[in-house]
């Protein structure tokens, strides 16, 4: 049972135990916020990272929350049942990372994946059970600049949870109490596609051309508009609402210097989440016979580079 911390003497008894699989930019920020809010947090990672987190905790530099250090526990495997498991690894590392979380440790807990793409919930449900997985999407710009050091650049941290309100209201309240703007929406397809439809143009264009979103808005405006139309068409074919004008307004309102996580991975020489983002959209487009020539070209060009 998820509970939110109270201000009474029974805080320790009421707090939740949360494990964070992948304490990077997103996972590290959420782990630190939940720890600061009074919950017990166990981060799962490789041994070197785990040792550093046990020794130094998580240090956050944030425009929204200020600078603070949060104490967390850390291990390479989950050895006890938890109330909540946040899955915040890159999609490229998901298969191997899940070995750190045995299904038996989540028989009475909830799995909240905050991954890019739309295809991961099915894999997680096969491993942990249909009722244990509540997909979500997060809107934030947060980067791990070194082990245990998180730089949170956006003035917002927002999570949309997908599923029945009765099942997720305690989780939403817990996130809200930690400082995260959390909403619950019953339509999982709409929630996941809203994020993917925004992410595809952002990730593909910033990565392909090495531009921030501000540069994309000005130097690649025509491609941006066309990509928004293509992703909206696929989204609608999959049963999710899509508003291209609203999407463009979101890009125009985004901080000009923002980079996509895929672009940061490319700059660091890391493997790209190209299949989880662009590949997922291409597969959905093929299933519904929707033409997406610009997405196809950009995915092909990025795969070659």
């Amino acid at each position: 049972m998820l509970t939110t911390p109270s201000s009474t003497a029974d805080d320790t008894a009421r707090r939740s135990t949360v494990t964070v699989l992948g304490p990077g930019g997103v996972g590290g920020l959420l782990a630190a916020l939940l720890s600061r809010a009074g919950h017990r947090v166990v981060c799962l990672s490789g041994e070197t990272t785990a040792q550093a987190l046990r020794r130094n905790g998580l240090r956050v530099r944030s425009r929204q929350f200020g600078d603070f250090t949060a104490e967390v526990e850390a291990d390479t495997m989950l050895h006890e049942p938890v109330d909540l498991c946040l899955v915040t690894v890159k999609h490229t590392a998901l298969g191997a990372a899940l070995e750190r979380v045995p299904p038996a440790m989540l028989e009475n807990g909830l799995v909240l994946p905050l991954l890019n793409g739309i295809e991961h919930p099915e894999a997680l449900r096969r491993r942990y059970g249909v009722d244990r997985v509540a997909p979500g999407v997060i809107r934030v710009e947060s980067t791990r600049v070194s082990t245990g050091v998180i730089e949170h650049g956006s003035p917002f941290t927002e999570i949309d949870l997908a599923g029945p309100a009765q099942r997720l209201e305690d989780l939403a309240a817990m996130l809200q109490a930690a400082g995260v703007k959390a909403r619950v929406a019953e339509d999982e397809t709409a929630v996941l596609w809203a994020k993917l439809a925004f992410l595809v143009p952002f990730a593909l264009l910033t990565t392909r051309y090495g531009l921030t979103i501000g540069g994309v808005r000005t130097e690649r405006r025509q491609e941006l508009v066309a990509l928004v139309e293509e992703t909206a068409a696929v989204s609608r074919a999959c049963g999710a609402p899509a508003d291209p004008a609203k999407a463009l307004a979101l890009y125009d309102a985004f901080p000009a210097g923002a980079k996509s996580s895929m672009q940061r991975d490319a700059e660091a020489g890391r493997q790209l989440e190209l299949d989880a983002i662009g590949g997922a959209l291409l597969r959905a487009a093929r299933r519904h016979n929707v033409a997406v020539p610009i997405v196809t070209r950009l995915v092909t060009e990025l795969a070659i580079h």
Side-chain angles (χ1 to χ4, degrees), residues 282-298:
L282 290 178
R283 287 186 285 275
R286 285 195 293 269
R287 285 195 301 271
H288 295 280
N289 232 5
V290 178
V292 287
I294 298 178
V295 174
T296 301
R297 174 177 61 80
L298 289 170

Side-chain angles (χ1 to χ4, degrees), residues 185-198:
E186 301 238 352
D187 190 338
E188 180 177 315
T189 299
V191 169
L192 293 177
W193 269 99
K195 174 67 178 290
L196 186 67
F198 175 84

Side-chain angles (χ1 to χ4, degrees), residues 5 30 33-37 39 65 172-180:
L30 295 176
L33 291 173
L34 289 167
S35 174
R36 189 172 71 163
H39 299 287
F65 303 109
M174 185 174 80
L175 292 168
Q176 288 274 168
V180 177

Side-chain angles (χ1 to χ4, degrees), residues 217-239:
R217 288 195 302 245
T218 55
E219 298 178 38
R220 294 285 172 175
R221 183 79 182 185
Q222 188 174 352
E223 270 182 283
L224 175 61
V225 172
L227 271 177
V228 168
E229 295 286 353
E230 288 186 4
T231 56
V234 180
S235 179
R236 285 192 293 264
C238 291

Side-chain angles (χ1 to χ4, degrees), residues 39-241:
H39 299 287
R40 181 186 172 212
V41 177
V42 181
C43 292
L44 299 177
S45 65
E47 182 58 38
T48 300
T49 297
Q51 288 180 2
L53 295 182
R54 287 193 291 263
R55 184 171 57 249
N56 302 317
L58 283 161
R59 289 166 285 173
V60 175
R61 301 195 293 261
S62 170
R63 290 176 58 189
Q64 182 181 10
F65 303 109
D67 297 352
F68 67 96
T69 298
E71 292 185 4
V72 294
E73 299 175 40
D75 209 332
T76 59
M77 287 282 296
L78 185 60
H79 299 290
E80 61 181 298
V82 295
D83 301 302
L84 174 66
C85 175
L86 297 178
V87 181
T88 53
V89 294
K90 294 284 187 181
H91 201 285
T92 51
L94 180 61
L98 291 180
E99 295 301 316
R100 302 187 190 278
V101 185
M105 299 299 99
L106 289 168
E107 288 183 352
N108 297 306
L110 198 62
V111 180
L112 171 57
L114 296 170
L115 281 72
N116 292 325
I118 56 172
E119 297 171 336
H120 56 274
E122 183 179 347
L124 289 167
R125 285 173 174 140
R126 284 196 301 268
R127 180 172 174 81
Y128 298 110
V130 173
D131 293 336
R132 298 268 63 84
V133 179
V137 299
I138 186 166
R139 285 176 290 276
V140 69
E141 185 185 11
S142 186
T143 306
R144 184 183 69 172
V145 293
S146 60
T147 302
V149 180
I150 309 299
E151 194 166 281
H152 173 214
S154 59
F156 54 83
T157 306
E158 302 175 352
I159 291 178
D160 288 344
L161 305 168
Q166 184 176 4
R167 178 183 172 212
L168 297 176
E169 59 186 9
D170 286 346
L171 173 56
M174 185 174 80
L175 292 168
Q176 288 274 168
V180 177
K181 185 176 181 180
R183 294 175 291 261
V184 178
E186 301 238 352
D187 190 338
E188 180 177 315
T189 299
V191 169
L192 293 177
W193 269 99
K195 174 67 178 290
L196 186 67
F198 175 84
L199 189 58
V200 167
F202 182 32
L204 297 186
L205 289 173
T206 56
T207 307
R208 174 64 182 87
Y209 299 114
L211 297 169
T212 65
I213 190 60
V216 167
R217 288 195 302 245
T218 55
E219 298 178 38
R220 294 285 172 175
R221 183 79 182 185
Q222 188 174 352
E223 270 182 283
L224 175 61
V225 172
L227 271 177
V228 168
E229 295 286 353
E230 288 186 4
T231 56
V234 180
S235 179
R236 285 192 293 264
C238 291

